[in-house]
Amino acid sequence: HSHRIKVAMAGSLARGAGGPLINMIRRILGNAAITEPEGKLILIVKQNDRWVLPGGNQGDLKGWEGLARKVKSDLRGIEIEYLEHRPIEVTVHGRTNQLVTAIVYDFNLVKPPERIAPFSHIQDYEWIDMTGKGYVLSELMQKIFKRLRQRDYTPTREIAR
């Protein structure tokens, strides 16, 4: 299961509304934007009743290689390849004293899976278009989708069917 590790960053102090200084807790997530070969659909997973991009705590993952391993163990049967684009970073204010940053790495689906067998903490998965219409997405996810839509998702090569 996912470990929610809160890391208090040195020097990240903020003044609450007229109140005392509060320590800002910063969570850094590593997420995979996995698109199918045409680049029109993206994979989202349902965890804790929320639709999110596959991934986890960036400190546990240690970059895109760890993220790819986590995705392959969470979604058995999926074959993905890393696209060496610069990852995007999106930050939102979480709870009162929390900043949440998602570092989103691009992956391509190597071939359509015959079957994906999600690990138990993943309730469901869907291939959806980049608008996210019809899904309740967090502020963080909405910002990520907006940034992804601004990018050119031309497939880098033809994928064997």
Side-chain angles (χ1 to χ4, degrees):
H1 40 258
S2 74
H3 300 285
R4 293 216 169 124
I5 298 171
K6 293 182 177 179
V7 182
M9 303 289 281
S12 56
L13 294 172
R15 193 176 295 280
L21 284 172
I22 54 167
N23 196 27
M24 287 297 282
I25 294 166
R26 181 130 188 223
R27 274 188 71 206
I28 302 179
L29 307 173
N31 293 101
I34 303 169
T35 49
E36 45 74 62
E38 285 79 41
K40 291 183 180 71
L41 299 177
I42 188 165
L43 181 70
I44 59 172
V45 295
K46 193 175 194 178
Q47 281 179 240
N48 303 321
D49 296 321
R50 298 176 78 147
W51 289 102
V52 295
L53 291 178
N57 186 63
Q58 177 72 356
D60 296 341
L61 300 170
K62 303 191 180 7
W64 71 264
E65 296 100 332
L67 177 57
R69 277 193 300 276
K70 178 162 176 39
V71 168
K72 288 173 188 175
S73 72
D74 283 356
L75 299 163
R76 288 179 305 268
I78 197 166
E79 281 187 58
I80 56 174
E81 66 179 353
Y82 177 55
L83 300 175
E84 303 202 17
H85 299 150
R86 197 159 143 251
I88 62 170
E89 281 190 36
V90 178
T91 300
V92 296
H93 278 276
R95 296 184 203 93
T96 321
N97 62 336
Q98 194 178 62
L99 282 177
V100 181
T101 298
I103 301 172
V104 182
Y105 299 89
D106 290 315
F107 291 87
N108 211 346
L109 190 66
V110 175
K111 65 175 202 250
E114 276 149 43
R115 197 171 139 267
I116 293 178
F119 201 62
S120 56
H121 67 278
I122 292 178
Q123 298 160 282
D124 202 357
Y125 67 92
E126 291 281 346
W127 290 95
I128 68 169
D129 71 31
M130 295 271 188
T131 63
K133 275 194 175 57
Y135 292 83
V136 178
L137 302 176
S138 68
E139 180 193 2
L140 182 66
M141 282 287 288
Q142 288 174 34
K143 277 188 162 183
I144 290 170
F145 269 48
K146 183 178 180 191
R147 291 281 300 277
L148 290 173
R149 285 194 306 272
Q150 292 165 352
R151 289 170 77 157
D152 174 23
Y153 269 86
T154 313
T156 47
R157 60 186 178 77
E158 270 308 303
I159 306 251
R161 291 270 179 262

PDB file of all heavy atoms in Angstrom, residues 56-72:
ATOM      1  N   GLY A  56       3.173   7.421  -6.788  1.00  0.00           N
ATOM      2  CA  GLY A  56       3.327   7.347  -5.342  1.00  0.00           C
ATOM      3  C   GLY A  56       4.229   8.445  -4.835  1.00  0.00           C
ATOM      4  O   GLY A  56       4.448   9.449  -5.506  1.00  0.00           O
ATOM      5  N   ASN A  57       4.769   8.245  -3.652  1.00  0.00           N
ATOM      6  CA  ASN A  57       5.633   9.223  -3.014  1.00  0.00           C
ATOM      7  C   ASN A  57       6.981   9.282  -3.748  1.00  0.00           C
ATOM      8  O   ASN A  57       7.650   8.269  -3.900  1.00  0.00           O
ATOM      9  CB  ASN A  57       5.825   8.809  -1.547  1.00  0.00           C
ATOM     10  CG  ASN A  57       6.582   9.838  -0.767  1.00  0.00           C
ATOM     11  OD1 ASN A  57       6.122  10.959  -0.614  1.00  0.00           O
ATOM     12  ND2 ASN A  57       7.738   9.455  -0.286  1.00  0.00           N
ATOM     13  N   GLN A  58       7.354  10.455  -4.206  1.00  0.00           N
ATOM     14  CA  GLN A  58       8.570  10.611  -5.021  1.00  0.00           C
ATOM     15  C   GLN A  58       9.826  10.100  -4.297  1.00  0.00           C
ATOM     16  O   GLN A  58      10.690   9.492  -4.910  1.00  0.00           O
ATOM     17  CB  GLN A  58       8.730  12.086  -5.409  1.00  0.00           C
ATOM     18  CG  GLN A  58       9.980  12.429  -6.187  1.00  0.00           C
ATOM     19  CD  GLN A  58       9.991  11.940  -7.628  1.00  0.00           C
ATOM     20  OE1 GLN A  58       9.082  11.259  -8.087  1.00  0.00           O
ATOM     21  NE2 GLN A  58      11.041  12.271  -8.341  1.00  0.00           N
ATOM     22  N   GLY A  59       9.916  10.310  -2.993  1.00  0.00           N
ATOM     23  CA  GLY A  59      11.083   9.854  -2.236  1.00  0.00           C
ATOM     24  C   GLY A  59      11.244   8.343  -2.272  1.00  0.00           C
ATOM     25  O   GLY A  59      12.366   7.827  -2.314  1.00  0.00           O
ATOM     26  N   ASP A  60      10.121   7.619  -2.281  1.00  0.00           N
ATOM     27  CA  ASP A  60      10.171   6.149  -2.352  1.00  0.00           C
ATOM     28  C   ASP A  60      10.535   5.696  -3.764  1.00  0.00           C
ATOM     29  O   ASP A  60      11.178   4.669  -3.952  1.00  0.00           O
ATOM     30  CB  ASP A  60       8.810   5.533  -1.997  1.00  0.00           C
ATOM     31  CG  ASP A  60       8.396   5.824  -0.555  1.00  0.00           C
ATOM     32  OD1 ASP A  60       9.280   6.173   0.250  1.00  0.00           O
ATOM     33  OD2 ASP A  60       7.202   5.698  -0.260  1.00  0.00           O
ATOM     34  N   LEU A  61      10.094   6.451  -4.764  1.00  0.00           N
ATOM     35  CA  LEU A  61      10.241   6.029  -6.157  1.00  0.00           C
ATOM     36  C   LEU A  61      11.638   6.279  -6.713  1.00  0.00           C
ATOM     37  O   LEU A  61      12.136   5.519  -7.516  1.00  0.00           O
ATOM     38  CB  LEU A  61       9.222   6.763  -7.043  1.00  0.00           C
ATOM     39  CG  LEU A  61       7.761   6.536  -6.688  1.00  0.00           C
ATOM     40  CD1 LEU A  61       6.884   7.490  -7.467  1.00  0.00           C
ATOM     41  CD2 LEU A  61       7.357   5.096  -6.971  1.00  0.00           C
ATOM     42  N   LYS A  62      12.236   7.395  -6.300  1.00  0.00           N
ATOM     43  CA  LYS A  62      13.568   7.788  -6.782  1.00  0.00           C
ATOM     44  C   LYS A  62      13.622   7.891  -8.316  1.00  0.00           C
ATOM     45  O   LYS A  62      14.402   7.219  -8.972  1.00  0.00           O
ATOM     46  CB  LYS A  62      14.639   6.837  -6.267  1.00  0.00           C
ATOM     47  CG  LYS A  62      14.655   6.753  -4.743  1.00  0.00           C
ATOM     48  CD  LYS A  62      15.877   6.040  -4.249  1.00  0.00           C
ATOM     49  CE  LYS A  62      15.977   5.905  -2.740  1.00  0.00           C
ATOM     50  NZ  LYS A  62      14.895   6.292  -1.911  1.00  0.00           N
ATOM     51  N   GLY A  63      12.759   8.722  -8.871  1.00  0.00           N
ATOM     52  CA  GLY A  63      12.817   8.993 -10.309  1.00  0.00           C
ATOM     53  C   GLY A  63      11.937   8.087 -11.150  1.00  0.00           C
ATOM     54  O   GLY A  63      11.164   7.284 -10.641  1.00  0.00           O
ATOM     55  N   TRP A  64      12.077   8.243 -12.468  1.00  0.00           N
ATOM     56  CA  TRP A  64      11.157   7.567 -13.380  1.00  0.00           C
ATOM     57  C   TRP A  64      11.329   6.046 -13.397  1.00  0.00           C
ATOM     58  O   TRP A  64      10.368   5.322 -13.624  1.00  0.00           O
ATOM     59  CB  TRP A  64      11.257   8.151 -14.792  1.00  0.00           C
ATOM     60  CG  TRP A  64      12.515   7.840 -15.536  1.00  0.00           C
ATOM     61  CD1 TRP A  64      13.626   8.637 -15.620  1.00  0.00           C
ATOM     62  CD2 TRP A  64      12.797   6.672 -16.296  1.00  0.00           C
ATOM     63  NE1 TRP A  64      14.581   8.023 -16.384  1.00  0.00           N
ATOM     64  CE2 TRP A  64      14.099   6.812 -16.816  1.00  0.00           C
ATOM     65  CE3 TRP A  64      12.078   5.504 -16.592  1.00  0.00           C
ATOM     66  CZ2 TRP A  64      14.703   5.842 -17.612  1.00  0.00           C
ATOM     67  CZ3 TRP A  64      12.681   4.545 -17.380  1.00  0.00           C
ATOM     68  CH2 TRP A  64      13.967   4.708 -17.885  1.00  0.00           C
ATOM     69  N   GLU A  65      12.557   5.539 -13.124  1.00  0.00           N
ATOM     70  CA  GLU A  65      12.750   4.084 -13.140  1.00  0.00           C
ATOM     71  C   GLU A  65      11.933   3.424 -12.035  1.00  0.00           C
ATOM     72  O   GLU A  65      11.274   2.412 -12.256  1.00  0.00           O
ATOM     73  CB  GLU A  65      14.231   3.701 -12.967  1.00  0.00           C
ATOM     74  CG  GLU A  65      15.128   4.154 -14.089  1.00  0.00           C
ATOM     75  CD  GLU A  65      15.906   5.422 -13.748  1.00  0.00           C
ATOM     76  OE1 GLU A  65      15.421   6.239 -12.919  1.00  0.00           O
ATOM     77  OE2 GLU A  65      16.991   5.605 -14.326  1.00  0.00           O
ATOM     78  N   GLY A  66      11.997   4.004 -10.842  1.00  0.00           N
ATOM     79  CA  GLY A  66      11.220   3.478  -9.719  1.00  0.00           C
ATOM     80  C   GLY A  66       9.727   3.600  -9.961  1.00  0.00           C
ATOM     81  O   GLY A  66       8.947   2.721  -9.595  1.00  0.00           O
ATOM     82  N   LEU A  67       9.341   4.702 -10.601  1.00  0.00           N
ATOM     83  CA  LEU A  67       7.930   4.910 -10.941  1.00  0.00           C
ATOM     84  C   LEU A  67       7.465   3.835 -11.923  1.00  0.00           C
ATOM     85  O   LEU A  67       6.393   3.244 -11.757  1.00  0.00           O
ATOM     86  CB  LEU A  67       7.740   6.309 -11.534  1.00  0.00           C
ATOM     87  CG  LEU A  67       6.342   6.682 -12.008  1.00  0.00           C
ATOM     88  CD1 LEU A  67       5.317   6.558 -10.889  1.00  0.00           C
ATOM     89  CD2 LEU A  67       6.338   8.097 -12.574  1.00  0.00           C
ATOM     90  N   ALA A  68       8.295   3.541 -12.923  1.00  0.00           N
ATOM     91  CA  ALA A  68       7.930   2.497 -13.904  1.00  0.00           C
ATOM     92  C   ALA A  68       7.776   1.147 -13.210  1.00  0.00           C
ATOM     93  O   ALA A  68       6.830   0.400 -13.486  1.00  0.00           O
ATOM     94  CB  ALA A  68       8.993   2.413 -14.999  1.00  0.00           C
ATOM     95  N   ARG A  69       8.681   0.835 -12.275  1.00  0.00           N
ATOM     96  CA  ARG A  69       8.579  -0.431 -11.528  1.00  0.00           C
ATOM     97  C   ARG A  69       7.280  -0.477 -10.727  1.00  0.00           C
ATOM     98  O   ARG A  69       6.594  -1.493 -10.696  1.00  0.00           O
ATOM     99  CB  ARG A  69       9.775  -0.599 -10.582  1.00  0.00           C
ATOM    100  CG  ARG A  69      11.011  -1.173 -11.247  1.00  0.00           C
ATOM    101  CD  ARG A  69      12.052  -1.614 -10.233  1.00  0.00           C
ATOM    102  NE  ARG A  69      12.511  -0.523  -9.389  1.00  0.00           N
ATOM    103  CZ  ARG A  69      13.473   0.346  -9.727  1.00  0.00           C
ATOM    104  NH1 ARG A  69      14.056   0.264 -10.918  1.00  0.00           N
ATOM    105  NH2 ARG A  69      13.842   1.300  -8.904  1.00  0.00           N
ATOM    106  N   LYS A  70       6.946   0.647 -10.060  1.00  0.00           N
ATOM    107  CA  LYS A  70       5.722   0.689  -9.248  1.00  0.00           C
ATOM    108  C   LYS A  70       4.482   0.498 -10.123  1.00  0.00           C
ATOM    109  O   LYS A  70       3.585  -0.263  -9.780  1.00  0.00           O
ATOM    110  CB  LYS A  70       5.626   2.000  -8.464  1.00  0.00           C
ATOM    111  CG  LYS A  70       4.348   2.081  -7.646  1.00  0.00           C
ATOM    112  CD  LYS A  70       4.422   3.112  -6.567  1.00  0.00           C
ATOM    113  CE  LYS A  70       3.135   3.282  -5.783  1.00  0.00           C
ATOM    114  NZ  LYS A  70       2.382   2.102  -5.476  1.00  0.00           N
ATOM    115  N   VAL A  71       4.449   1.173 -11.270  1.00  0.00           N
ATOM    116  CA  VAL A  71       3.298   1.050 -12.172  1.00  0.00           C
ATOM    117  C   VAL A  71       3.148  -0.396 -12.630  1.00  0.00           C
ATOM    118  O   VAL A  71       2.049  -0.954 -12.637  1.00  0.00           O
ATOM    119  CB  VAL A  71       3.435   2.005 -13.386  1.00  0.00           C
ATOM    120  CG1 VAL A  71       2.408   1.673 -14.462  1.00  0.00           C
ATOM    121  CG2 VAL A  71       3.287   3.453 -12.932  1.00  0.00           C
ATOM    122  N   LYS A  72       4.271  -1.036 -12.990  1.00  0.00           N
ATOM    123  CA  LYS A  72       4.211  -2.423 -13.482  1.00  0.00           C
ATOM    124  C   LYS A  72       3.795  -3.398 -12.384  1.00  0.00           C
ATOM    125  O   LYS A  72       3.184  -4.424 -12.674  1.00  0.00           O
ATOM    126  CB  LYS A  72       5.551  -2.830 -14.096  1.00  0.00           C
ATOM    127  CG  LYS A  72       5.798  -2.152 -15.432  1.00  0.00           C
ATOM    128  CD  LYS A  72       7.198  -2.439 -15.950  1.00  0.00           C
ATOM    129  CE  LYS A  72       7.509  -1.609 -17.176  1.00  0.00           C
ATOM    130  NZ  LYS A  72       8.890  -1.775 -17.612  1.00  0.00           N
TER     131      LYS A  72
END
